[in-house]
Amino acid sequence: MPRLALPSVLLLLSWLLTANAVVGQSGLRVAVPLLDNWRTVADDKNQQAFNGFEKPNFNDQSWQTVAVPHNWDAYEGYRRMRHGNRHGYAWYRKTFPVKAAQKDARYFLFFEGVGSYATVWLNGRPVGTHAGGRTTFTLDITEAVLLDGRPNVLAVRADHPAGIQDLPWVCGGCSEERGFSEGSQPMGIFRPVQLIVTNPVRIEPFGVHIWADSTVSAQAAQLHVDSEVRNYYGKPQTVTVVNQLFDRQGKKVAEIKSKQKLAAGKTVQVRQQLPTLTQPHLWSLDDPYLYRLVTQVSAKGKVLDELETPYGIRWISWPIGPAAAKHKQFLLNGKSVFINGIAEYEHLLGQSHAFGAEQIQTRVEQMKAAGFNAFRDAHQPHNLRYQANWDSLGLLWWPQLAAHVWYDNPAFRQNFKTLLVDWVKERRNSPSIVLWGLENESTLPEDFARECTALIRQLDPTASAQRKVTTCNGARVPIGMCPKTGPAPTAATPTPTAPTWSGRCLSASTAPGAPSICTPKARPFSTVARSAKTGSRSSWS
């Protein structure tokens, strides 16, 4: 089947992102963008400078008026100073009306990214907090929202102090691991915000997960679906969960339904297996074909919630084990693929991480025009609009969750795992993902690397059977970064069996925890996985 023209594909991106962002398209959910007419101010030192700003009658007329995405650090890391990134505190306020929806409706705020610590109030009432700016979070504001015609006052404080030691994404200049621009982190509401209105029985954020098991082939695909459903009512509910798969022409090709009892205030995961799909239309780089999964929750014949999830059927294979000695090729649907990829830091001069959709589309078009067919996040979770591009345009994707600096304390470990769960759930439905990048260049302890890898496998059954979980050095290099100059350290290990994509470190994957072989920085990367001469990362799979 011929590939879709780029302009036609880009028209699909709003639908793809909508599904990824857990915003329904059926009319059962209402999604209201909260992007314009924010008022904001910042202070580099004093967290208490604007105490009381969350109160509805607070006077913010002297503050700047901006649109989000917005970032107070206008990528000052480009100055290449010893510590060139901005730190401090940012305050945001916005007023907006809310029209009363159906009886018992639930109201939520969906934030795609606030750096680094977010504290949120609505109409003077605290409604939630979040630590870590690179993943999304959703807050239930039902008890605080005004539905009587009065304006709602949303207040957000974004804290980005120097010396953070309990989050994986911190400024590289705050420690001896000088990262310059590489360590830059956003300060503010640097990704979009939405108000979402749903029924009290709803599918939870990123709660639909579809995957093909290891039997997938050109002849048949066995698809599994997990649906995470929550009952916000104060009494039990009995619902029917229906998952329907549609092809690109809108024809229903598979369906499964089951009943589920929901206790009051509880969340359940409904696991279903679709009927075997024969002769599936496979997703590939030349033909990035996407099916459409429609998930419905209903009760007493009435649909309560509905979400759409784009999904591509494919299988991949990395060279591991004894057979890899002769066949060091990456296979997509059984065919070798030459991987010609690029890594990108999510920075833009003058805006840093505060990208608009058009800017992301432009960057994607530049990469495709240059001939790249694969992309690596460097080195933290990127804007979800990238994800929609890779899936619909047919590029391979290596998302990454890395701590530029490792702080071995309980709060750091817990926050790392919490953010890792968000990171995987937001991205695991994407057919473009072929690797999970756990760390880049840091002292990730071996025990913690195993713990995190087990968590990734729990969230994504295709890891590590297909998608490999990669690390840089398996904590064998005692200081945060691999050496980049001089002769590479000697590693008394067998010949590497699973070289992957080039980067900065090559690690033998004959056994978990094998010592690393460090190589000079290589960017962009290009490999066919036939040669171990390019740098690659160790596999904990």
Side-chain angles (χ1 to χ4, degrees), residues 73-81 84-85 180-181 184 349-350:
D73 184 352
Y75 191 20
E76 296 181 42
Y78 79 91
R79 297 182 298 176
R80 307 299 290 178
M81 297 173 63
N85 304 130
F180 297 107
S181 60
S184 174
L349 291 178

mmCIF file of all heavy atoms in Angstrom, residues 73-81 84-85 180-181 184 349-350:
data_model
loop_
_atom_site.group_PDB
_atom_site.id
_atom_site.type_symbol
_atom_site.label_atom_id
_atom_site.label_comp_id
_atom_site.label_asym_id
_atom_site.label_seq_id
_atom_site.Cartn_x
_atom_site.Cartn_y
_atom_site.Cartn_z
ATOM 1 N N ASP A 73 12.670 30.018 31.980
ATOM 2 C CA ASP A 73 14.069 29.850 31.578
ATOM 3 C C ASP A 73 14.093 29.784 30.059
ATOM 4 O O ASP A 73 13.795 28.758 29.463
ATOM 5 C CB ASP A 73 14.662 28.572 32.171
ATOM 6 C CG ASP A 73 16.146 28.413 31.849
ATOM 7 O OD1 ASP A 73 16.667 29.213 31.039
ATOM 8 O OD2 ASP A 73 16.779 27.502 32.404
ATOM 9 N N ALA A 74 14.434 30.893 29.428
ATOM 10 C CA ALA A 74 14.428 30.957 27.962
ATOM 11 C C ALA A 74 15.690 30.309 27.388
ATOM 12 O O ALA A 74 16.392 30.887 26.569
ATOM 13 C CB ALA A 74 14.310 32.399 27.497
ATOM 14 N N TYR A 75 15.960 29.071 27.876
ATOM 15 C CA TYR A 75 17.117 28.297 27.426
ATOM 16 C C TYR A 75 18.410 29.089 27.603
ATOM 17 O O TYR A 75 19.203 29.249 26.694
ATOM 18 C CB TYR A 75 16.954 27.854 25.986
ATOM 19 C CG TYR A 75 17.978 26.841 25.512
ATOM 20 C CD1 TYR A 75 18.701 26.069 26.419
ATOM 21 C CD2 TYR A 75 18.223 26.655 24.160
ATOM 22 C CE1 TYR A 75 19.619 25.158 26.005
ATOM 23 C CE2 TYR A 75 19.144 25.730 23.725
ATOM 24 C CZ TYR A 75 19.849 24.990 24.647
ATOM 25 O OH TYR A 75 20.785 24.072 24.227
ATOM 26 N N GLU A 76 18.594 29.579 28.798
ATOM 27 C CA GLU A 76 19.820 30.318 29.062
ATOM 28 C C GLU A 76 21.025 29.409 29.161
ATOM 29 O O GLU A 76 22.169 29.859 29.224
ATOM 30 C CB GLU A 76 19.644 31.162 30.321
ATOM 31 C CG GLU A 76 18.567 32.232 30.138
ATOM 32 C CD GLU A 76 18.376 33.099 31.350
ATOM 33 O OE1 GLU A 76 19.388 33.491 31.959
ATOM 34 O OE2 GLU A 76 17.218 33.392 31.692
ATOM 35 N N GLY A 77 20.791 28.099 29.139
ATOM 36 C CA GLY A 77 21.907 27.169 29.129
ATOM 37 C C GLY A 77 22.775 27.304 27.899
ATOM 38 O O GLY A 77 23.916 26.829 27.878
ATOM 39 N N TYR A 78 22.264 27.955 26.850
ATOM 40 C CA TYR A 78 23.058 28.107 25.635
ATOM 41 C C TYR A 78 24.286 28.963 25.878
ATOM 42 O O TYR A 78 25.231 28.965 25.083
ATOM 43 C CB TYR A 78 22.214 28.718 24.515
ATOM 44 C CG TYR A 78 22.038 30.221 24.608
ATOM 45 C CD1 TYR A 78 22.932 31.082 23.981
ATOM 46 C CD2 TYR A 78 20.989 30.771 25.324
ATOM 47 C CE1 TYR A 78 22.779 32.459 24.080
ATOM 48 C CE2 TYR A 78 20.833 32.140 25.427
ATOM 49 C CZ TYR A 78 21.728 32.982 24.801
ATOM 50 O OH TYR A 78 21.582 34.330 24.905
ATOM 51 N N ARG A 79 24.308 29.704 26.986
ATOM 52 C CA ARG A 79 25.424 30.606 27.259
ATOM 53 C C ARG A 79 26.694 29.831 27.608
ATOM 54 O O ARG A 79 27.771 30.409 27.689
ATOM 55 C CB ARG A 79 25.062 31.552 28.401
ATOM 56 C CG ARG A 79 23.884 32.456 28.062
ATOM 57 C CD ARG A 79 23.588 33.418 29.181
ATOM 58 N NE ARG A 79 23.208 32.726 30.422
ATOM 59 C CZ ARG A 79 22.973 33.354 31.559
ATOM 60 N NH1 ARG A 79 23.100 34.666 31.623
ATOM 61 N NH2 ARG A 79 22.615 32.690 32.631
ATOM 62 N N ARG A 80 26.577 28.521 27.842
ATOM 63 C CA ARG A 80 27.721 27.673 28.141
ATOM 64 C C ARG A 80 28.478 28.150 29.376
ATOM 65 O O ARG A 80 29.695 28.051 29.458
ATOM 66 C CB ARG A 80 28.669 27.596 26.938
ATOM 67 C CG ARG A 80 28.007 27.193 25.650
ATOM 68 C CD ARG A 80 27.381 25.824 25.728
ATOM 69 N NE ARG A 80 28.395 24.770 25.789
ATOM 70 C CZ ARG A 80 28.106 23.469 25.898
ATOM 71 N NH1 ARG A 80 26.845 23.094 25.979
ATOM 72 N NH2 ARG A 80 29.049 22.572 25.941
ATOM 73 N N MET A 81 27.749 28.699 30.327
ATOM 74 C CA MET A 81 28.352 29.113 31.589
ATOM 75 C C MET A 81 28.437 27.917 32.524
ATOM 76 O O MET A 81 27.807 26.886 32.303
ATOM 77 C CB MET A 81 27.518 30.228 32.223
ATOM 78 C CG MET A 81 27.451 31.500 31.404
ATOM 79 S SD MET A 81 26.300 32.706 32.113
ATOM 80 C CE MET A 81 27.100 33.023 33.698
ATOM 81 N N GLY A 84 24.501 28.023 33.885
ATOM 82 C CA GLY A 84 23.790 29.000 33.077
ATOM 83 C C GLY A 84 22.288 28.876 33.055
ATOM 84 O O GLY A 84 21.622 29.647 32.368
ATOM 85 N N ASN A 85 21.718 27.912 33.781
ATOM 86 C CA ASN A 85 20.279 27.717 33.764
ATOM 87 C C ASN A 85 19.597 28.512 34.877
ATOM 88 O O ASN A 85 20.171 28.710 35.942
ATOM 89 C CB ASN A 85 19.930 26.237 33.911
ATOM 90 C CG ASN A 85 20.587 25.386 32.846
ATOM 91 O OD1 ASN A 85 21.219 24.385 33.142
ATOM 92 N ND2 ASN A 85 20.470 25.805 31.596
ATOM 93 N N PHE A 180 25.814 21.671 31.346
ATOM 94 C CA PHE A 180 25.535 22.837 30.527
ATOM 95 C C PHE A 180 24.103 22.743 30.000
ATOM 96 O O PHE A 180 23.174 22.469 30.734
ATOM 97 C CB PHE A 180 26.571 22.977 29.412
ATOM 98 C CG PHE A 180 27.962 23.203 29.921
ATOM 99 C CD1 PHE A 180 28.906 22.209 29.854
ATOM 100 C CD2 PHE A 180 28.312 24.406 30.502
ATOM 101 C CE1 PHE A 180 30.193 22.417 30.348
ATOM 102 C CE2 PHE A 180 29.589 24.630 30.992
ATOM 103 C CZ PHE A 180 30.531 23.620 30.914
ATOM 104 N N SER A 181 23.929 22.928 28.702
ATOM 105 C CA SER A 181 22.574 22.887 28.144
ATOM 106 C C SER A 181 21.962 21.503 28.271
ATOM 107 O O SER A 181 20.756 21.346 28.335
ATOM 108 C CB SER A 181 22.609 23.306 26.671
ATOM 109 O OG SER A 181 23.441 22.443 25.928
ATOM 110 N N SER A 184 19.748 21.330 31.188
ATOM 111 C CA SER A 184 18.720 22.352 31.331
ATOM 112 C C SER A 184 17.363 21.725 31.613
ATOM 113 O O SER A 184 16.998 20.717 31.029
ATOM 114 C CB SER A 184 18.646 23.193 30.054
ATOM 115 O OG SER A 184 17.576 24.104 30.121
ATOM 116 N N LEU A 349 15.967 27.780 21.299
ATOM 117 C CA LEU A 349 16.448 29.062 21.784
ATOM 118 C C LEU A 349 15.295 30.056 21.935
ATOM 119 O O LEU A 349 14.494 30.234 21.029
ATOM 120 C CB LEU A 349 17.497 29.625 20.825
ATOM 121 C CG LEU A 349 18.836 28.890 20.774
ATOM 122 C CD1 LEU A 349 19.748 29.533 19.746
ATOM 123 C CD2 LEU A 349 19.499 28.891 22.139
ATOM 124 N N GLY A 350 15.234 30.683 23.096
ATOM 125 C CA GLY A 350 14.187 31.657 23.354
ATOM 126 C C GLY A 350 12.952 31.071 23.996
ATOM 127 O O GLY A 350 12.129 31.807 24.539
#
